[in-house]
Every structure is written in structure tokens, then in C-alpha cells.
Amino acid sequence: DIQMTQSPSSLSASVGDRVTITCRASQSISSYLNWYQQKPGKAPKLLIYAASSLQSGVPSRFSGSGSGTDFTLTISSPQPEDFATYYCQQSYDIPYTFGQGTKLEIK
Amino acid sequence: EVQLVESGGGLVKPEGSLRLSCAASEFTLTDAWMNWVRQAPGKGLEWVGRIKSKTDGGTTDYAAPVKGRFTISRDDPKNTLYLQMNSLETEDTAVYYCTRDPRYCGGGSCHRYFDYWGQGTLVTVSS
């Protein structure tokens, strides 16, 4: 199975700070990488697919980059509603696997 | 708008069975790849399994922890997805989500992702 490792596991930031979350795959997955946001008690929401494609309706302050084994989710200027948990997920091979999550908290 | 609504969760004893349902609207389940993803209390997301569209063969794949115990199926006239769970274990306690798995092709490759999720249904396995 492909292991996905996110860092950091948690992060404190202020509204307007630039935030970067990293996801590393245990083997090359090309650009088969998706990012999701989850708020407490809610289902995850797709933000980025194919490593860098912004899902329709998602604010442009979210962006994704990377290929191979190293990927990044950037929030250019986090707003209060962005404080949530973020997951990466590889769709290169079955079983699909997720990172352990990064909790973004407000400072 | 596309909607997925799960039902069927509840409390079940170890080694018991439960069937979850996921009713879809505004798209045809037969034409879609669909997945189940679960989340144990306070934990991360775990892929459970998927069923391909009818045109892609309708075959299923499962995660190792549930293979042989869980079965994914569809009822086409009802436009409903199912997850039959047998021989349940305490480790199966989780919120279960159904998700749609569309395909995007660009730049010479095709990608899959989970674009719509249901609200989730809680399964608790406990004596």
C-alpha cells in the first residue's frame, strides 16, 4: 500500500497568514493527489484534484502543487472559515490512502 | 444538485451484520464509480471499497481489513448504493460516508477523486 504522510500534524496561524501543508507519498504517484477539507461533524469537501486543479466553487486562495512524491497545499490568506482539518489522498493505486490529517487552528 | 444521503447506521453487537444505504439524486448511480470511506471516532479517513460503473464492468475492490466481510452493491431502479457489513468487529466502529468518484482527463492522464460525499452514518459495534 502507498503510505501518505502529512506534515505538520497541527498548525496554528492567524487570519491572513500564508499556510503551507505538505504531503509525502511512500512511492511516486505522479500527480494523482487530491486534497480535502473537513470541519467537525461534517463530511470532507474536495478542494484540489490532480495535485493542482481547483475544484469548482473553491476560493482561489487555495492552491496545490507537486508531483512524484512531494506535494503542497497552500492557503494564501486563511479566512476564519478555513480553520479545519486537511487531508491528502492518493488515487494512483488501490487501496486509495489518505494522509493522517493536518489540523489548522486559529492563533 | 447532486445529493447523497446515507442511512442504516446504528448499534450492533460484534459478529453481527448491518446494511448501509446511500440514496443518490441528480445523477445515475449505474453510470458512476462509487466508494465507501469511513472515519473512526477522532481518527482520520480510511477507504473501505468501491464499485465501478456498469459500463466499466461493475466490479468491486475492497480494503484489506474488510475484504471477505463487506460487500458493495447497487439497486439501479432505486438509484441506491449499499454496503453490506457482516462479521462486524469493534474496529469497524466509524462514521461511514458514500462518495462519488468521477474521472478527470487532462495533460495526458486521467484522475479520480471524491467530489460529492454523503452526510455520513454512524456504525457502532459494541457488546
Side-chain angles (χ1 to χ4, degrees):
Chain A
D1 297 1
I2 299 172
Q3 306 301 316
M4 307 301 293
T5 304
Q6 289 180 233
S7 59
S9 296
S10 64
L11 175 59
S12 292
S14 300
V15 172
D17 284 349
R18 184 181 183 86
V19 166
T20 298
I21 298 169
T22 296
C23 178
R24 175 164 286 176
S26 60
Q27 67 179 72
S28 177
I29 58 170
S30 184
S31 59
Y32 293 85
L33 192 282
N34 308 314
W35 289 98
Y36 302 87
Q37 175 195 68
Q38 187 179 34
K39 296 180 179 179
K42 300 293 187 181
K45 172 187 171 184
L46 176 68
L47 300 175
I48 302 284
Y49 60 94
S52 60
S53 295
L54 190 68
Q55 171 68 348
S56 175
V58 174
S60 59
R61 61 181 178 270
F62 290 92
S63 64
S65 64
S67 70
T69 59
D70 294 313
F71 302 87
T72 299
L73 173 70
T74 299
I75 313 173
S76 60
S77 179
Q79 299 303 296
E81 61 270 27
D82 299 337
F83 291 88
T85 299
Y86 293 85
Y87 294 93
C88 62
Q89 175 243 334
Q90 65 82 16
S91 59
Y92 180 81
D93 198 13
I94 293 293
Y96 294 147
T97 46
F98 293 86
Q100 81 279 15
T102 295
K103 187 173 184 178
L104 176 60
E105 297 175 305
I106 195 161
K107 190 182 287 183
Chain B
E1 186 186 347
V2 167
Q3 262 201 317
L4 297 168
V5 179
E6 297 102 337
S7 59
L11 175 63
V12 61
K13 288 182 168 48
E15 300 185 15
S17 297
L18 206 58
R19 189 180 77 161
L20 306 183
S21 301
C22 170
S25 55
E26 300 303 319
F27 74 101
T28 304
L29 266 184
T30 305
D31 297 335
W33 291 36
M34 297 294 295
N35 292 251
W36 288 94
V37 174
R38 69 184 180 183
Q39 187 169 36
K43 302 297 184 184
L45 301 168
E46 181 186 20
W47 178 77
V48 172
R50 74 174 179 193
I51 185 166
K52 296 181 181 178
S53 64
K54 203 165 190 175
T55 53
D56 288 323
T59 55
T60 52
D61 296 286
Y62 299 96
V66 308
K67 195 169 186 178
R69 300 188 298 124
F70 289 13
T71 303
I72 299 173
S73 62
R74 276 188 301 249
D75 183 325
D76 294 340
K78 292 184 178 179
N79 211 35
T80 299
L81 179 75
Y82 298 105
L83 179 65
Q84 176 67 44
M85 304 185 293
N86 298 330
S87 303
L88 282 160
E89 304 168 353
T90 55
E91 294 77 16
D92 296 318
T93 294
V95 173
Y96 285 74
Y97 298 99
C98 61
T99 75
R100 193 176 75 165
D101 180 356
R103 187 176 70 165
Y104 158 76
C105 294
S109 58
C110 293
H111 299 260
R112 293 205 165 267
Y113 48 90
F114 304 144
D115 65 344
Y116 286 94
W117 297 64
Q119 84 286 358
T121 188
L122 176 62
V123 172
T124 303
V125 184
S126 174
S127 55

